[in-house]
Structure formats: structure tokens, C-alpha cells
Amino acid sequence: MATQNNHKGITRRRFLSGLAIASAASVVGTSLLAPRKAMAATDAVTGFNGEVLCGSHWGAFRAKVVNGVWTETTPFEKDPHPTVMLDAVREVVYNPARVKYPMIRIDWLKQGYKSDTSQRGNNRFVRVPWSQALDFFQHELNRVQETYGPSALYAGHTGWQSVGKLHNAGTMMKRGISLHGTTLGKMGDYSTGAAQVILPYIAGAMEVYEQQTSWDIVLKNTDTIVMWGTDPVKNLQVGWLVPDHSVYGSYQQLAEKVKNKEIKVIHIDPVRNQTMKFVGGEQLPVHPQSDIPLMLAIAHTLYTENLYDKEFIANYTTGFKQFMPYVMGETDGIVKTPEWAEKICGIKASQIRELARTMAGGRTQLVGGWCLQRMQHGEQWAWMLVVLAAMLGQIGQPGGGFGFGWHYNDAGTITSAGPLMSGFSGVTGVEPIYNGSFKGYAKTIPVARFVDCISNPGTKIQWNGSEITFPYMKMAIFSGNNPFAHHQDRNRMIKAWTKLETVVSIEHQWTATCRFADIVLPATTTYERDDIEQFGNHSNKGILALRKIVEPMFESKDDFDIFRELCSRFNREEAFTGGKTKMEIIEEIYNGARLQGRGIGVRMPNFAKFWEGDGYIEFPAGKEWVRHESFRNEPDLEPLGTASGLIEIYCKTIADMGYNDCQGHPMWFEKEERSHGGPRSDVYPLHLQSCHPNNRLHSQLCSSTDFRATYAVADREPIYINTQDAAARNIKSGDLVRVFNGRGQVLAGAIVTEDYSPGVCRIHEGAWYSPLEGGKAGTICTYGDPNVLTLDIGTSQLAQATSAHTAVVDIEKYTGPVPEVTGFNGPTYETGIDPLFPAMDK
């Protein structure tokens, strides 16, 4: 087995060895190839010995097992650039935060749905048998449906829980619960909530999750790459499926071209991020949340200096004539000059003009991330990026245009010529037992507004051209999902949570969501069950067997068996399983791809040979591809999915919705709070970034004790602070600090660095909420959850998405008694209570 394969002359372990790091404390800098250490095993038990091929969101790997215990993790030899996060995957199984047994919150066990819900979060639970826990679960499903109807039961949240075409936690929940009854669901997500709503109106597709132009084409044809609020070298460590990480070879080539001045890369970002450190290039440190003024000033320069592509505007877009009067100040009296923008965004007018000229002077690829659309009015940023690309006129040309998915799912790799596997379906076609009326309440709500729904039932809101009425949510189910990580304004959320009568969490880690639940069911990890998955995301490089590494720990069950046993309680077990075992379903999924492969000339062995053999099939390479090329070549025959079939610079559909915060063309709207002289900056002067972490996938891996110790500071989540800001507060690297605003307060460990512009700080999202006093709103978070501090408002009436990027804070050196971190252990077990107490009768 190869562990030191070379890729174009560079060993995997040396690939990112030259990446600069911020300080001595920051093992947190990207280092995909850091040396690995073997983690100590737990007490050995008699069992399997050998090596098991498996996969994860962090890549594929081989697990060494000794006497039934997973002892070492080695990257899959087909992964040329594995991430160091693979070191933490084993800890997911052997972890003090494991949910070991079915647990019921003590007061809910006594009082049922009439319990004191203010006690949620106090971490007091009673262990119960599986049979009783599932009886409680079914009883509550029945009660809520019969008492309130389907609008009161929320079962819509989904997350990044696991890879695998069978054992998808969200799918299992949807399939099992929908056999019982219809429920309130969700629309959108936290990652791309604003962009995914507006871009179909503007560009005809969601764009954010889709494949991008092949990197080989970009490297051959592009003169300038503008990285706008994106950090792909950091973010491409993880993938929705099992990433193959081959895309890092392209970033190595890009770095060489930047070094040789063959390609110019411009990073529009207030932070010298990991991508800038690796590929090089120039930085324009724009003030946070002021990108729209910068973009409008670029548009003004392109127009007034006659640098825009008139032919492309005339033939491929609509609405330019309605947009330009706004840019020229004819509609609001404000001419969007570079001088006007400079006062807001902090970039000199001369630099703005030079940027516009550079973009228009050659083939330019605009690379947009997702962080910037997670601010108030985030729709405007996504819209404006498309408008600038349209004015440059290079959409659909090799190496030109725009893209919103370059940092995601191996984007830019060549997609193979192989088949795609389907997954286990959340739909059975069997009528549910309960199919009551929603009584005028919404059947789906925007996911980022679900706490609004709990807090304000009966309220009507505008959303994407329609009016919806929030239902009275009474019960919520979360399976493999942690809303107490990804939702904003934690203290507001805690207050709202008391209105729910029953909360169920199905999970393998004691997340904050479990602590704020009433019924907690222990699920297996990916590594304690068999499954199958694609290797490579957009690349679709092959198919990988995800073989069980170890037996399920404690009393955990996989989601399939949990919902199968639940369905058996209301005579829907066979409908749930389809009459098949788990391995039969896996084989069926494989055979579907095998049949598809025959049709495209790709031969695959039978399932038994695949599963019992190498457990890996690699597909032949596909062809290079240019995004939007077919539209460019034949706009009449290959129109976009917009109302006009063209790029809509002005969108009548949106204009007719009549929203004051998202009108017919992109505009600059001031934020509710903004640093660098914006609203509330006189009280809280620092902008708080809470973007994707460097050492986790959202909140996953945060509980991995040994790995967390490699990047934690003062045993807390790091906060990155500019040198000037730190000096003004007498803060040094390694200090414990209090970060606060009017919404809450957290403790974090300081890393002082010049990588961050003055007035900008960062705590990565996904840090586990660890309250000093469990369940009490306003108590300090002892570890550093940034969503204690973020703002919970919709981006606009169009998308109603998250505005997490709209947040200002202040920081001070912490001098009080240092509390222990509370978030990474299991609950307090209560004794002397009859575990068979009939809560369902209350």
C-alpha cells in the first residue's frame, strides 16, 4: 500500500509545507500534509484484525484494526493530497462526547410534554431502554398529529451528518416520519441561502453547487482570477461526498503561474487567507460588508471608460438600461463613483479604477465564495457578481465569466465518464397514517427563519414572492443535525426553544442540540456500518466501498434500524425497508450504477466481486468543460432558465414582488450593523467573521479531543485579531479573551496576526456551544461559539436567509476566574428514578 505516492514530482506530505502560518500558536494554518501520529487505542477487545477501506467527508482512508479496535488511520493511496483532518476521524468513534444509550430528559420523563421546558440544556438525563424510548417517540408523533395536525411537527432540518448512499440521516428521517404523517418542512440551507434563491432569477440556475470550468482550461486561457471572498485551499479539504483532493494539483500549477507572472490573482478579502498564502497574488482588503459599493464603482468605471462589452450586453442580457441610471445617480442622486465607494469600502478610488481596467484588459474569471451572501442583503452581492461578469462579456468563454462553487466539491476537476449512483430514497409512495390539514399555515418555511417560526406563530412574512404564515410548532425532530451550531443568536434561540413541547435528537455525539432535547437516541457513526459512496465529488472518480470498521459502540443503532423499529410500531416496517436488508439495498444501489455504466460503455464487476475484492472502482476520465459555453454559443437554442432566457441585470419578476430590500436590480443597502464607521460600530467596533473552519466540517470533529488540542488556544476556540486591535486592548497571542456584544458573550483564545485587517476578527463557525450555566440564556459560552454573537435576521424578504456575516463585537482580555469548558462530555446521569415512568400518560 502506497503512503508516499508522488504527484507531479511532489510528495503528498510536502505539498503544502511551504504554506505560511500566522504565528507559533497556529497549527491552525492549512497543512493538508502534516505528519500523522497513531492515536492510542481504547481497551482492546477480542475481535477483527486487519485493514479496512472506508471514507468520509474528509477523504478516503484505510483503518488499521487490532482486536476489534481501530488503532491507526492511513490516507487512501488514490488521494494525492489528503487532509490532516483524517487524524481526527478515529476520534469520532472513541470520544467522551459519544451518545451511548437512549436518554430522556429527567423532567420530560416525569411530566411528558407538560414538562418545565426552561430546564432544557441543564444536561440532566435518565437512561431508558430502546423500546421505551421508541414508544415515547411514537406516542409524541401520534399526540402532536392528533392534537395540532401536521403543521406543528417539524422534521425538515438536515445537515452534513454522514457520507454513504444508504445511511443518510436526513433521508432516513424523512422516509420514516413521512410514513407516519405529513410534517412541516424547510426550504433552503444555511450555506447558500441567499444566492440559491436569487441566482435562478438572474442566471437561470442555482449555480452555487454546480461544476465549474475545468482548471486546465482556466490555466491555459485566463489572464486574471479575482478571488472574491473565497478561500478554496482551505475549504476544499472537505466534500459533500468523499473528496479525492486531486484539485489541489491545479492550485499548485496556479501558484507556479502566479510566480512566473503568467496569471494575475487578485484577492478581494480583508484577510490574507490560506489560498492567498499558497497561490500568491495581490490583496484588496475591502472593509467587511462593503463589497457592493466596490462593485458598483467598478461598474461605473467600466461604463464611463467605455470598457464594457456592448455586444454581449445587447445579445445575452436584459435590463442594462434600467440598471445604469442607478449607477449614474439618476434615480437616487448618488453617482456610484470610485470616490463614493472609497469612503465606504476602504479601497482607494485609483485602485478601484485600476481593478476595473485590469478585469477588462484580458480574460478574467470571477471566483465568488459563499460567505459574502451570508450577510444582510446578501442577494445583492451574488447578483452584482453576475452583472460585472456580464459587463466584461466573457461568460461562456474559456477561462472567463463567473462561478460560485470553486471552493466546493473538487470543483474544476474533470468529471469522469462513469455512472452516478442514486441513493436510498426518502419517498416510499405509501400513504401516511396522518395526512391532516395545514389549516392555512405554511407547509414549508425558510430554514434560517425556523426560530422566528417558534417564537412568533401566526405571523405572516414575505418570502420569495409569496406570503406565508408561521404555524404553531410544537415538536421538532433532528437527525444527524445540529441547529445549535448553525443557527444564529444563540440566546434568542434558547428563549424560543422553551415553546417546543417535545424535541427529539438522533445523534452519535452529545451536541448542544442533544442537550436541549427531550429524547436522545444514540446513532452509529459512518464507521460502524456498511455503505457505499462516490469517490470524488464533481470529479466522480470512482465508487468506494465504505466497509464497517468496528462494531457499533455501546447501544448505538444505525438510522435505518432506528426508523425501521419506529415504523414497526405503526405497521409500516415493510414500507420503510422495501422488504430488503441493508446489504441488499447497497447491492441494488451498486447494480443501478452498473446498469447505467453498460449504457455508456463503462464495465463494472458484479457486486460480490466489488465488495469482496478491492472495494474500489475507478472510472475513465471525461472531457474538459466550459461553464455556460452552450448558452454563449447558441443563446436561442440553449437559453438560461430565467424568464427571458438571458442574464437578467434587471429582473421584472423580482421587481413585481415589491420588496423594499430587494428591488428590480442590484443596489447598495446599509446594514443593520457594520464595522469601519457603519451602524453600531461606535459601540462594537470590530467586525466578526464566522466562516467555515480550517480544522472541522462545521461542528463535526470539534469534539475530537486530541485533534482539537492541536489548534485550540487556552483550551478554547481561537479568535484571530489584528495586531493593532490587540495592542489597543493589551491582548497577546495565547491570552484568554472575552468577545461580546448586545446579544451575548464567549470566551476564546487569542491569536494576534497581521493577516487580518484592522477592525476585523474571526471565530470559525462550528465551535460547540458550551454554556457556563446550561440552559440559561445570556450565560457566557466557555468555549467560543460565534453564533452566541451573530445576528438572526433574514437577508431580505426574497430569500429570508441567514445574515450571520452581519455582526459587530468588541474584545477584552479576560481576567476573571477561568471556568472549565462545559461542552464536550456526556450528560449528568440521574439515579433513583424509575426508567419506566409512564411520561406518555401525562
Side-chain angles (χ1 to χ4, degrees):
M1 173 178 58
T3 59
Q4 284 283 102
N5 284 1
N6 286 353
H7 183 71
K8 299 187 179 180
I10 290 191
T11 65
R12 298 182 301 175
R13 294 182 186 272
R14 290 183 56 83
F15 174 66
L16 294 182
S17 62
L19 193 65
I21 52 178
S23 69
S26 77
V27 182
V28 292
T30 302
S31 180
L32 299 187
L33 307 174
R36 294 173 172 78
K37 64 183 179 65
M39 298 180 190
T42 56
D43 292 339
V45 294
T46 303
F48 173 75
N49 288 278
E51 192 176 71
V52 182
L53 178 63
C54 197
S56 69
H57 288 303
W58 304 274
F61 59 88
R62 295 186 184 275
K64 182 179 179 181
V65 182
V66 178
N67 290 328
V69 176
W70 181 359
T71 60
E72 288 187 63
T73 306
T74 305
F76 185 38
E77 58 271 18
K78 297 288 185 177
D79 185 339
H81 309 297
T83 169
V84 71
M85 281 187 273
L86 282 179
D87 281 347
V89 172
R90 176 190 172 277
E91 285 196 81
V92 174
V93 174
Y94 305 115
N95 194 300
R98 274 304 294 262
V99 180
K100 300 176 181 178
Y101 313 108
M103 303 289 281
I104 307 294
R105 185 171 64 85
I106 182 171
D107 196 59
W108 196 95
L109 185 63
K110 294 177 178 179
Q111 305 295 332
Y113 70 91
K114 297 179 181 179
S115 73
D116 179 2
T117 56
S118 68
Q119 293 183 22
R120 287 201 187 107
N122 67 7
N123 217 23
R124 298 176 66 210
F125 286 83
V126 176
R127 177 181 173 182
V128 299
W130 262 106
S131 59
Q132 186 184 20
L134 290 174
D135 286 346
F136 283 153
F137 193 175
Q138 185 214 355
H139 178 270
E140 285 299 281
L141 291 175
N142 292 350
R143 182 187 67 80
V144 170
Q145 289 281 7
E146 292 167 1
T147 306
Y148 306 109
S151 64
L153 177 59
Y154 183 57
H157 249 71
T158 53
W160 278 75
Q161 169 62 17
S162 55
V163 296
K165 287 290 182 277
L166 172 58
H167 293 288
N168 180 287
T171 298
M172 294 294 181
M173 176 179 67
K174 180 179 178 182
R175 186 177 178 99
I177 300 302
S178 65
L179 285 168
H180 180 272
T182 51
T183 68
L184 175 66
K186 63 96 175 176
M187 289 293 291
D189 58 39
Y190 287 82
S191 294
T192 67
Q196 68 178 246
V197 171
I198 196 150
L199 285 172
Y201 290 112
I202 309 311
M206 190 181 291
E207 293 289 340
V208 288
Y209 296 125
E210 297 168 32
Q211 174 66 296
Q212 306 298 297
T213 298
S214 301
W215 260 114
D216 286 349
I217 291 176
V218 173
L219 293 168
K220 291 173 186 174
N221 295 280
T222 302
D223 298 302
T224 301
I225 297 174
V226 179
M227 299 274 186
W228 208 312
T230 186
D231 193 359
V233 167
K234 177 190 68 174
N235 290 336
L236 286 165
Q237 295 180 85
V238 302
W240 183 251
L241 307 177
V242 180
D244 63 34
H245 295 132
S246 60
V247 71
Y248 281 102
S250 298
Y251 284 91
Q252 181 199 8
Q253 294 178 57
L254 177 60
E256 287 296 315
K257 286 186 173 288
V258 171
K259 180 180 178 181
N260 296 331
K261 301 187 184 306
E262 298 174 48
I263 294 179
K264 175 178 283 191
V265 177
I266 300 170
H267 305 265
I268 302 178
D269 197 318
V271 176
R272 289 184 67 252
N273 61 35
Q274 304 297 349
T275 303
M276 183 177 180
K277 292 178 183 180
F278 184 74
V279 306
E282 304 170 13
Q283 180 189 15
L284 287 178
V286 62
H287 292 337
Q289 300 190 89
S290 64
D291 302 82
I292 295 299
L294 173 58
M295 293 170 134
L296 290 169
I298 293 171
H300 180 276
T301 303
L302 294 174
Y303 183 75
T304 57
E305 296 189 7
N306 201 28
L307 299 174
Y308 71 103
D309 190 324
K310 300 180 186 63
E311 184 178 352
F312 187 88
I313 292 294
N315 295 330
Y316 296 91
T317 77
T318 183
F320 188 68
K321 292 181 179 179
Q322 290 96 325
F323 172 62
M324 285 314 299
Y326 173 74
V327 175
M328 301 307 295
E330 297 170 18
T331 57
D332 64 354
I334 301 173
V335 185
K336 313 307 182 298
T337 63
E339 286 76 15
W340 165 80
E342 177 181 346
K343 297 175 183 177
I344 305 172
C345 72
I347 306 299
K348 293 180 179 179
S350 59
Q351 291 178 293
I352 296 173
R353 289 191 172 92
E354 183 59 32
L355 174 60
R357 294 163 187 161
T358 298
M359 290 165 63
R363 188 62 54 82
T364 298
Q365 176 70 53
L366 300 182
V367 176
W370 297 347
C371 188
L372 296 183
Q373 56 87 51
R374 296 188 205 117
M375 63 180 167
Q376 194 179 11
H377 316 115
E379 297 90 348
Q380 307 302 308
W381 177 81
W383 196 344
M384 197 64 212
L385 197 77
V386 177
V387 170
L388 290 181
M391 293 183 73
L392 295 174
Q394 300 171 11
I395 296 170
Q397 290 184 340
F402 69 90
F404 289 93
W406 287 96
H407 63 288
Y408 179 73
N409 274 355
D410 313 315
T413 54
I414 294 176
T415 303
S416 77
L420 286 168
M421 290 187 294
S422 61
F424 191 55
S425 176
V427 178
T428 63
V430 176
E431 279 293 310
I433 297 170
Y434 294 94
N435 194 12
S437 170
F438 279 79
K439 301 176 183 177
Y441 294 119
K443 294 183 178 180
T444 56
I445 57 174
V447 67
R449 305 272 59 80
F450 95 102
V451 169
D452 282 353
C453 178
I454 300 170
S455 299
N456 305 296
T459 299
K460 298 181 185 297
I461 67 165
Q462 293 295 316
W463 170 42
N464 200 10
S466 62
E467 181 178 81
I468 65 169
T469 304
F470 285 145
Y472 287 73
M473 195 188 299
K474 298 295 183 180
M475 180 178 179
I477 306 167
F478 303 100
S479 183
N481 184 257
N482 187 13
F484 269 83
H486 57 231
H487 196 82
Q488 284 61 62
D489 197 345
R490 189 69 63 242
N491 289 310
R492 179 175 183 265
M493 184 176 181
I494 290 169
K495 293 174 184 176
W497 217 247
T498 61
K499 293 189 175 185
L500 296 171
E501 293 178 353
T502 299
V503 179
V504 179
S505 181
I506 303 164
E507 185 56 89
H508 55 71
Q509 307 277 308
W510 273 102
T511 64
T513 300
C514 288
R515 293 170 185 244
F516 278 84
D518 302 304
I519 301 172
V520 180
L521 304 179
T524 54
T525 67
T526 303
Y527 320 111
E528 297 163 298
R529 59 204 185 205
D530 290 318
D531 214 323
I532 192 169
E533 188 55 276
Q534 308 284 156
F535 180 57
N537 290 266
H538 286 311
S539 64
N540 190 33
K541 195 170 185 177
I543 292 178
L544 186 74
L546 307 184
R547 297 192 179 103
K548 180 168 65 174
I549 299 171
V550 293
E551 293 300 317
M553 297 288 287
F554 306 102
E555 291 186 8
S556 60
K557 296 176 182 283
D558 61 52
D559 301 81
F560 184 95
D561 285 337
I562 291 171
F563 283 101
R564 176 185 60 77
E565 291 179 26
L566 178 68
C567 287
S568 72
R569 284 161 164 75
F570 46 87
N571 298 317
R572 290 290 189 274
E573 181 177 2
E574 186 170 354
F576 179 82
T577 65
K580 298 181 178 68
T581 66
K582 286 173 280 190
M583 189 54 71
E584 286 172 342
I585 295 170
I586 293 171
E587 182 173 359
E588 185 178 73
I589 291 169
Y590 176 88
N591 286 336
R594 188 178 181 218
L595 180 62
Q596 184 188 143
R598 288 179 184 173
I600 57 176
V602 176
R603 304 282 299 193
M604 293 168 55
N606 64 41
F607 178 75
K609 187 175 181 180
F610 161 76
W611 191 264
E612 295 165 11
D614 293 338
Y616 175 68
I617 299 171
E618 190 162 320
F619 297 141
K623 298 178 180 179
E624 293 179 345
W625 183 74
V626 176
R627 182 147 195 82
H628 302 121
E629 184 178 46
S630 59
F631 167 65
R632 174 101 192 190
N633 292 340
E634 296 182 296
D636 294 327
L637 296 179
E638 299 286 345
L640 300 177
T642 61
S644 63
L646 305 173
I647 292 168
E648 302 215 351
I649 296 173
Y650 173 89
C651 180
K652 186 177 184 300
T653 305
I654 293 176
D656 288 347
M657 294 177 189
Y659 299 150
N660 61 359
D661 54 2
C662 188
Q663 301 181 26
H665 57 73
M667 298 171 65
W668 161 241
F669 297 96
E670 184 57 276
K671 313 306 171 196
E672 189 162 311
E673 54 189 68
R674 180 173 61 85
S675 62
H676 297 83
R680 302 291 289 164
S681 62
D682 57 332
V683 181
Y684 303 110
L686 304 178
H687 172 81
L688 175 68
Q689 292 189 338
S690 55
C691 54
H692 194 286
N694 185 49
N695 294 287
R696 293 188 298 272
L697 170 54
H698 302 310
S699 64
Q700 292 188 55
L701 302 186
C702 193
S703 61
S704 298
T705 307
D706 290 348
F707 188 71
R708 189 175 70 250
T710 67
Y711 64 84
V713 177
D715 199 29
R716 321 287 154 156
E717 186 69 13
I719 180 167
Y720 300 85
I721 315 169
N722 171 266
T723 305
Q724 296 176 32
D725 297 327
R729 293 161 175 80
N730 193 30
I731 292 170
K732 303 184 299 296
S733 286
D735 283 348
L736 187 63
V737 299
R738 184 175 79 100
V739 191
F740 60 96
N741 60 19
R743 289 180 287 275
Q745 54 182 335
V746 308
L747 295 180
I751 294 179
V752 179
T753 170
E754 286 290 328
D755 288 343
Y756 287 72
S757 297
V760 180
C761 62
R762 175 185 293 181
I763 304 176
H764 287 120
E765 55 92 0
W768 277 26
Y769 177 59
S770 305
L772 182 63
E773 298 178 73
K776 181 179 179 181
T779 188
I780 195 167
C781 174
T782 62
Y783 181 70
D785 173 10
N787 277 324
V788 171
L789 306 162
T790 51
L791 181 66
D792 186 15
I793 59 172
T795 50
S796 77
Q797 294 172 91
L798 180 74
Q800 294 285 3
T802 180
S803 295
H805 199 61
T806 301
V808 292
V809 300
D810 205 350
I811 306 172
E812 65 182 14
K813 190 171 182 177
Y814 183 73
T815 58
V818 178
E820 293 184 7
V821 176
T822 61
F824 299 112
N825 296 304
T828 301
Y829 284 72
E830 298 295 331
T831 59
I833 297 174
D834 182 0
L836 299 179
F837 193 96
M840 64 178 65
D841 297 332
K842 292 292 181 181

